[in-house]
Amino acid sequence: MAKLYFYYSSMNAGKSTTLLQSSYNYQERGMNTLVYTAAIDDRYGIGKVASRIGISQEAQLFHEKSDLFNEIQQQHQNQALHCILIDECQFLTKTQVYQLTEVVDKLNIPVLCYGLRTDFQAELFEGSRYLLAWADQLEELKTICYCGKKANFVIRMNEKGEAVCDGEQIQIGGNDTYLSVCRQHYKEKTKC
Ligand SMILES: [Zn+2]
């Protein structure tokens, strides 16, 4: 039986690299994959998942209004799909996470979602909230803080390198950067 997977982490844990490797493993066996990424993330140009170690693959974009079940069902009718892979899945809506459960349950296609668990204020993203609730399988992709402990928090920093406490959950085109840290260092650095 197909399953819905949620691979979650903080920033820079290699989510895109892991996604691309999984997609490649399917293709190597002659199976078809469909890769999605959020329309919000245009770091690498439109419709592409790229990893920091230099590999990339074309991707379809999802935005707030995308009906993922319909899109996937239509493509599946044209050409059998064996795996759906979704990058930046924290940006999915509740409705879209439900649609992905339908892809698994009605179309019997595995869906692998990769994304952040929490934002820079340590709050769950909408997509991550419902994936944590509804996925069949949860897997944490680990990265480490500068102190060596597991980093499961994300700090947003301004151009001066100071932690930012307020702002939109999703910031487009800013000069801010992000740092993955452990909980202890998150609390020390964000005394908001
Ligand atoms: Zn630390």
Side-chain angles (χ1 to χ4, degrees), residues 145-149 181-185:
C145 179
Y146 56 82
C147 71
K149 279 199 268 187
V181 291
C182 68
R183 183 175 58 221
Q184 184 188 344
H185 285 121

Side-chain angles (χ1 to χ4, degrees), residues 79-148:
Q79 185 187 43
L81 293 170
H82 300 94
C83 184
I84 314 298
L85 302 107
I86 304 198
D87 203 15
E88 307 290 354
C89 65
Q90 71 271 12
F91 297 132
L92 294 166
T93 64
K94 178 182 180 181
T95 304
Q96 287 169 335
V97 176
Y98 185 83
Q99 290 162 357
L100 294 175
T101 69
E102 293 281 84
V103 170
V104 172
D105 296 338
K106 290 189 171 160
L107 305 180
N108 199 29
I109 306 171
V111 178
L112 282 55
C113 298
Y114 298 79
L116 300 174
R117 180 166 59 165
T118 55
D119 65 17
F120 73 105
Q121 293 176 306
E123 300 288 342
L124 290 171
F125 285 92
E126 182 175 345
S128 311
R129 173 183 301 275
Y130 292 100
L131 283 163
L132 285 169
W134 298 341
D136 297 293
Q137 203 150 328
L138 305 173
E139 302 273 351
E140 184 169 27
L141 302 176
K142 294 182 182 68
T143 187
I144 53 167
C145 179
Y146 56 82
C147 71

Side-chain angles (χ1 to χ4, degrees), residues 33-45:
T33 63
L34 178 57
V35 177
Y36 272 101
T37 191
I40 225 159
D41 180 18
D42 57 0
R43 272 180 299 177
Y44 304 105

